[in-house]
Amino acid sequence: MTSPDRLSLYLDRLGLEHAPPASAEGLATLQAAHRERIPFENLDVRLGRPPAIDSDAVFGKLVTRRRGGYCFEHNRLFSDMLAMLGIPNRPLLARVRLGVAPDETPPRTHVLLLAQIDGAPWIADAGFGGSYVPPLPLRDGASVRTGDGAAHRLRRIGEAGDPGGEWLLERAGDAGATDGRAGPQADWQAQYGFDLLPVVQADLDQCNHWTATRPATRFTTLHVVSIALPDGFASLTEQALKVHRGGVLHEAVLAGPDDYHRCLAGQFHLDLDREDLARLPLFSKAMRR
């Protein structure tokens, strides 16, 4: 499949009729559409299938098969599509700070992108599952608001090579418009820290393997799905659904496999076949009875 064909299919997956321009506005449009149409999810990990993160694999899964994925998949696809649109970019590794004690240094389990727009560096992230993270210019104090009413900002917190990170992304807003890991307060909270050191494919492969296989972590013990909404956020952790729209939070507990399947398709644009649904640890025992 040629690059133009892939770009056309990707834009169709996002519901976009035309490719946005290679500008800050175009980057924001594309990233919002990506995050509102392709869900964040770890269901392959729970099915015992560690995700492949090469370009062909992620395109086949997220676009052709209309599945979702986690950060290593989303941002591989997003990186490829940005390059096709004429936006140079490269990966960066980050340490997620949500739910982590201030004195703890978590591992690098998140990938984002450093993009170049008109010669200036921007961060771009189509694969953060905790909330919607908009593109931001890589500048100390840069900030922006999103459709859920939250503010986001970048702070320069260290030097290159500092274990805690060179940059910190923070969010201030309603905790309801997150996947539940944010604290209840609405003031600034750390999302993740990162540096600008070069990242090669072997680094991504190693981090992806650790994230998909390490026992007793969020991704190997829980079923998680999330998606950004134009004015909010929706998340599904195990059978607990939270939908935050226009400042109002709705919560529900899905009764069983049929409700779960309908919710994946309707709320999250996620096409999970019935065989995989039956094999999820969340339901496999009940469905064998």
Side-chain angles (χ1 to χ4, degrees), residues 11-32:
L11 294 174
D12 181 70
R13 174 80 163 104
L14 304 191
L16 295 177
E17 294 183 2
H18 306 289
S23 64
E25 294 78 11
L27 173 62
T29 295
L30 191 72
Q31 185 176 299

Side-chain angles (χ1 to χ4, degrees), residues 65-143:
R65 299 194 344 254
R66 306 185 79 81
R67 283 285 307 278
Y70 61 13
C71 64
F72 295 101
E73 298 169 281
H74 276 280
N75 281 324
R76 172 73 273 168
L77 175 64
F78 198 51
S79 174
D80 291 344
M81 298 301 110
L82 289 181
M84 290 180 191
L85 290 173
I87 300 178
N89 66 90
R90 65 179 179 90
L92 302 174
L93 287 171
R95 303 179 191 275
V96 177
R97 306 295 318 182
L98 284 173
V100 176
D103 60 349
E104 183 180 345
T105 302
R108 291 184 174 96
T109 57
H110 183 59
V111 63
L112 65 151
L113 303 175
L114 183 67
Q116 294 292 322
I117 302 291
D118 295 328
W122 285 66
I123 66 160
D125 191 349
F128 188 60
S131 64
Y132 181 63
V133 175
L136 281 161
L138 188 70
R139 185 178 68 246
D140 190 23
S143 65

